[in-house]
Amino acid sequence: MIDPGLPECGVARFLTLLNGPWATLIVRELLHGPHRFTELREALPGISPHTLTSRLRQFERHGIVTRTTYAEIPPRVEYELTPLGEGLRDVLEAMGAWAMAVPDHEADVTV
């Protein structure tokens, strides 16, 4: 498969790198520090192992996450944000603040 590269537009590039609903949630969890695969799965109920693996590999390819394997028995693997990945902290905080400012019209409905 040929990778056509990332889009020129910054917003399109962001959406390509953090595609799908799980991507930002994975980053959110990794903002708390390194996690093992099983820890990420437990923190994200409903994510399939395939999706988690796919997103982590994509993040590795683009320098957002590092994967460290420890020579232990059993082997231990941890995922951690790189400085580039840490740069998403402000973005996710801004997204969260914006979302919380949106009125919940469901709560305004009187019965």
Side-chain angles (χ1 to χ4, degrees):
M1 183 170 99
I2 297 173
D3 183 0
L6 294 172
E8 293 294 322
C9 168
V11 173
R13 184 178 287 228
F14 177 87
L15 293 173
T16 298
L17 292 169
L18 282 108
N19 65 337
W22 293 110
T24 51
L25 297 176
I26 293 167
V27 171
R28 179 196 67 190
E29 292 306 315
L30 290 173
L31 284 170
H32 299 294
H35 281 67
R36 295 175 75 169
F37 186 87
T38 53
E39 292 171 334
L40 286 170
R41 280 201 56 212
E42 289 170 4
L44 301 166
I47 193 169
S48 72
H50 172 77
T51 298
L52 181 55
T53 298
S54 173
R55 296 300 178 262
L56 288 169
R57 285 181 183 162
Q58 178 186 8
F59 290 163
E60 273 188 273
R61 276 193 313 274
H62 292 288
I64 297 169
V65 165
T66 58
R67 178 182 190 269
T68 305
T69 304
Y70 296 91
E72 301 173 353
I73 298 182
R76 178 171 53 108
V77 176
E78 286 186 343
Y79 297 90
E80 184 173 13
L81 292 174
T82 63
L84 178 65
E86 279 286 336
L88 290 165
R89 181 180 303 277
D90 292 341
V91 174
L92 267 58
E93 287 176 358
M95 287 171 52
W98 178 85
M100 295 310 291
V102 174
D104 185 357
H105 293 292
E106 296 278 323
D108 295 340
V109 176
T110 56
V111 181

